[in-house]
Amino acid sequence: GVMEKLGLGPEVLLRENPRLIYARLTGFGQTGKYAKRAGHDINYLALSGVLSKIGRKNENPYAPLNLLADFAGGGVMCALGIVTALYERTKSGRGQIIDASMVEGVAYLSSFLWKTQNLGFWDRPRGENMLDSGAPYYETYKTSDGKFMAVGALEPQFYEKLLKGLGLDSDKLPSQLSFSEWPEMKKKFASVFAQKTQAEWCSIFDGTDACVTPVLSFDDVASNQHNKQRSSFIKNDEEEISPRPAPLLSRTPAVPSLQRDPFIGEHTEEILLEYGFTSEEIAKLYSDKVIEINKPKANL
């Protein structure tokens, strides 16, 4: 209701421009009991049902940072809605209002979980299934230097290569799908991974399809050989590292700026002057704390 209070609600603006696409991105959506409640990623994730699936055995569910509901179920799904509405407008010539709920966005994102419930993927308690840290071959393991390796050897042919790299004989081990043996297998895998450094394991599994990769820190990703070859990470003029825009388009790839990120309020005055505000009006807005102005200081 904030935009309505300002006289800028979708009904008003769509009367001015019927082709307008008006996106409303909120946690709980525009209607329903929770519509006007405060919340954060963890709350939206909880209400979607997805949070109940995330966590280890005998531990509380945990939210994986705020990536799922905020950015994936929220930002990305809202952006997809805008793209869809833009495409529809080429046919109808009309805009529309997008009600993007982070609860519904992350729930829809989890359609795979819903559609595979009867296939045996999720019929065990949290933390005991194939993809939620239950399986020994879909897990992270600590190395002797305190780093970690990620293992995702789901298919039998990949699992065989995993065992070969670990120096284990498959004939002397339980079946890959022997659920009751998974806890003991995890202990065995953990003890083996703990005997070598991350670099040593990378060398052992290099060039194989064992689905074993290092868990890279933010400090290490840019120097990783694969990431370097694809220029997956970029540096700005202050040597700060960030991901390159993705996905990569063949004909019109994004051209990222290599300048430092602007300070909050750095360009406020410049933009308002461009839009016709006077210096006196800008000063008044600043004194009334309507806007923020933050000009960088010279390093002399």
Side-chain angles (χ1 to χ4, degrees), residues 55 57-58 124-130 132-135 179 182:
K57 182 180 178 180
N58 298 325
R124 299 169 67 83
R126 182 177 62 252
E128 297 182 27
N129 300 280
M130 191 178 296
D132 65 359
S133 80
F179 301 119
W182 278 1

Side-chain angles (χ1 to χ4, degrees), residues 111-264:
S111 294
F112 166 73
L113 307 185
W114 293 90
K115 299 296 184 180
T116 57
Q117 286 184 99
N118 298 324
L119 299 181
F121 285 117
W122 311 104
D123 54 354
R124 299 169 67 83
R126 182 177 62 252
E128 297 182 27
N129 300 280
M130 191 178 296
L131 301 179
D132 65 359
S133 80
Y137 47 86
Y138 203 86
E139 179 60 289
T140 57
Y141 293 98
K142 196 171 186 178
T143 57
S144 63
D145 54 346
K147 298 181 180 181
F148 295 89
M149 298 297 290
V151 176
L154 294 174
E155 291 78 5
Q157 65 272 27
F158 302 153
Y159 183 66
E160 282 296 322
K161 290 181 170 59
L162 167 66
L163 295 182
K164 182 179 179 181
L166 293 176
L168 298 174
D169 186 349
S170 60
D171 294 333
K172 298 178 181 179
L173 297 173
S175 163
Q176 181 182 359
L177 296 178
S178 180
F179 301 119
S180 61
E181 302 291 341
W182 278 1
E184 284 303 313
M185 288 296 293
K186 287 180 75 169
K187 291 179 183 178
K188 181 181 288 291
F189 285 9
S191 67
V192 175
F193 271 108
Q195 295 170 17
K196 290 181 172 63
T197 66
Q198 185 188 71
E200 288 174 320
W201 285 120
C202 286
S203 178
I204 288 171
F205 287 106
D206 184 39
T208 74
D209 281 335
C211 301
V212 179
T213 51
V215 177
L216 299 176
S217 70
F218 272 27
D219 293 330
D220 297 332
V221 289
S223 59
N224 174 266
Q225 187 177 14
H226 174 79
N227 292 338
K228 283 178 65 176
Q229 289 171 349
R230 286 186 54 83
S231 301
S232 300
F233 294 84
I234 56 178
K235 285 184 180 181
N236 65 13
D237 54 13
E238 294 190 349
E239 296 295 300
E240 295 171 332
I241 297 173
S242 62
R244 183 195 63 198
L248 188 61
L249 304 185
S250 64
R251 187 170 51 81
T252 59
V255 181
S257 169
L258 298 182
Q259 296 180 348
R260 63 160 175 79
D261 294 337
F263 301 121
I264 294 175

Side-chain angles (χ1 to χ4, degrees), residues 267-280:
H267 301 110
T268 302
E269 187 174 8
E270 178 184 339
I271 291 169
L272 292 179
L273 286 170
E274 281 184 18
Y275 271 86
F277 285 79
T278 65
S279 297
E280 292 74 19

